Amino acid sequence: MERLVSPDTPERTTAQRPATARQLFGSLPRRRPARPPGTVLALRTPLSGRTRTVLVLASVALPLLTWLLLGATGAVDPRFLPPPGAVWSAGVEMAGSGELFTDAWATVRRILYGYGLGVAVAVPLGVAMGSFAAARSALEPVSGLLRYLPAAAFTPLLLIWLGIGEAPKIALIFIGTVFFNMLMVADAVRQVPIDLVNVSYTLGARGGEVLRKVILPYALPGIVDAVRVNFAAAWGLVVVAELVNSQEGLGKRILLAQRFTQTDKIFAILVVIGLIGVTADVILRITRDRLGRWVP
């Protein structure tokens, strides 16, 4: 039976046909049957509780042991890398005088104000960007532009506009985190399957009900994850903010220790910052797991 070809449609030659995957990438070489990988090296395979515990402990113990070894052998000048014992003594000394707790609370308070305000603004706007095409068209270009501007560059302007008190420090944290949170929250909302939205409309739900009962519950774990990831950026910004005309705070204490080459105090403050950050991260991770138990 002859194949009918329209006179207006030229027949494709072999050279005009799109290349196949084998032509583009080549065929796979002949190999022996692969052995199944072990649990640790298997892709996307959950680990046993014992293996996970061993890896977690090793990730903490190896750097600490290296630090102890370098301090014990004197391979590095203590002025540049003080031994853990000296760092512990410096931390105990600052804690005994009360300055460590005062500075830590001052830093945490600024983060709570600045980052909390940023989250309060970014989450509603991010949800709107992820849910409504109009909000996305209006907000995504400007937020995408402003997030590339380094927040530290706003420090002189903030000092001129807001003075030398707490306001410019809080504003710096807000500017440096709000736009990243907006875009990441919008991405989390856009991950909601469109089938869920369509089924909700089919069952008679209104737009507001779909937003409250379908989109927000499904996207909530992703929103908490976005807040958790950007929380680390707030710590970097608060240290920068406290270097400028601050009377208290962990960043200010680092600057004072640097002037007198007190590296043991600098390391002790860094350890405190790390512990506070890890604690907040664990709290947010537990919150995400509890809020999103229904999400697959």
Side-chain angles (χ1 to χ4, degrees):
M1 184 175 181
E2 295 184 359
R3 182 167 56 92
L4 298 179
V5 180
S6 173
D8 298 329
T9 305
E11 185 177 358
R12 283 188 176 183
T13 63
T14 304
Q16 292 175 333
R17 294 175 185 170
T20 63
R22 176 171 294 185
Q23 291 172 339
L24 289 175
F25 303 105
S27 58
L28 292 175
R30 293 185 178 181
R31 300 179 179 138
R32 295 180 180 178
R35 296 180 179 177
T39 306
V40 178
L41 300 179
L43 297 174
R44 305 292 297 273
T45 302
L47 296 175
S48 63
R50 180 179 180 181
T51 303
R52 187 184 305 109
T53 301
V54 170
L55 292 176
V56 169
L57 294 177
S59 68
V60 177
L62 288 178
L64 183 59
L65 289 175
T66 303
W67 187 13
L68 287 170
L69 182 62
L70 292 175
T73 59
V76 181
D77 192 331
R79 293 179 301 173
F80 304 116
L81 183 64
V87 173
W88 173 262
S89 300
V92 170
E93 178 186 350
M94 290 188 294
S97 65
E99 63 185 29
L100 185 61
F101 298 105
T102 302
D103 292 329
W105 171 240
T107 298
V108 171
R109 184 178 67 246
R110 289 164 184 150
I111 289 181
L112 291 177
Y113 290 154
Y115 192 64
L117 181 61
V119 171
V121 172
V123 170
L125 293 180
V127 171
M129 290 170 58
S131 305
F132 303 100
R136 180 180 179 183
S137 299
L139 297 174
E140 191 172 49
V142 63
S143 59
L145 172 65
L146 292 176
R147 72 186 177 116
Y148 284 105
L149 300 180
F154 286 91
T155 302
L157 290 175
L158 294 176
L159 291 174
I160 294 173
W161 294 340
L162 303 176
I164 58 175
E166 291 293 303
K169 302 176 181 60
I170 295 173
L172 182 64
I173 300 172
F174 173 83
I175 293 173
T177 58
V178 64
F179 302 111
F180 287 95
N181 273 327
M182 282 175 57
L183 294 173
M184 292 183 67
V185 169
D187 285 339
V189 173
R190 282 197 289 268
Q191 296 300 317
V192 178
I194 191 62
D195 291 340
L196 292 180
V197 178
N198 292 336
V199 168
S200 302
Y201 282 127
T202 302
L203 295 176
R206 299 292 187 264
E209 293 174 327
V210 174
L211 182 62
R212 296 193 314 271
K213 298 182 179 181
V214 178
I215 294 178
L216 283 179
Y218 193 99
L220 192 55
I223 293 173
V224 177
D225 259 339
V227 173
R228 181 174 67 89
V229 170
N230 289 313
F231 186 71
W235 275 98
L237 290 169
V238 73
V239 171
V240 173
E242 289 175 347
L243 295 179
V244 181
N245 194 39
S246 180
Q247 300 301 321
E248 57 184 6
L250 296 176
K252 182 65 176 182
R253 193 62 54 187
I254 289 176
L255 180 62
L256 293 176
Q258 180 265 334
R259 291 178 180 175
F260 299 99
T261 321
Q262 296 173 327
T263 52
D264 52 352
K265 289 188 175 182
I266 295 176
F267 272 82
I269 295 170
L270 292 177
V271 170
V272 171
I273 292 175
L275 292 176
I276 297 175
V278 169
T279 302
D281 187 85
V282 170
I283 292 173
L284 289 173
R285 188 177 301 177
I286 294 174
T287 303
R288 177 204 59 190
D289 294 339
R290 291 186 176 275
L291 291 177
R293 285 178 290 182
W294 57 84
V295 177

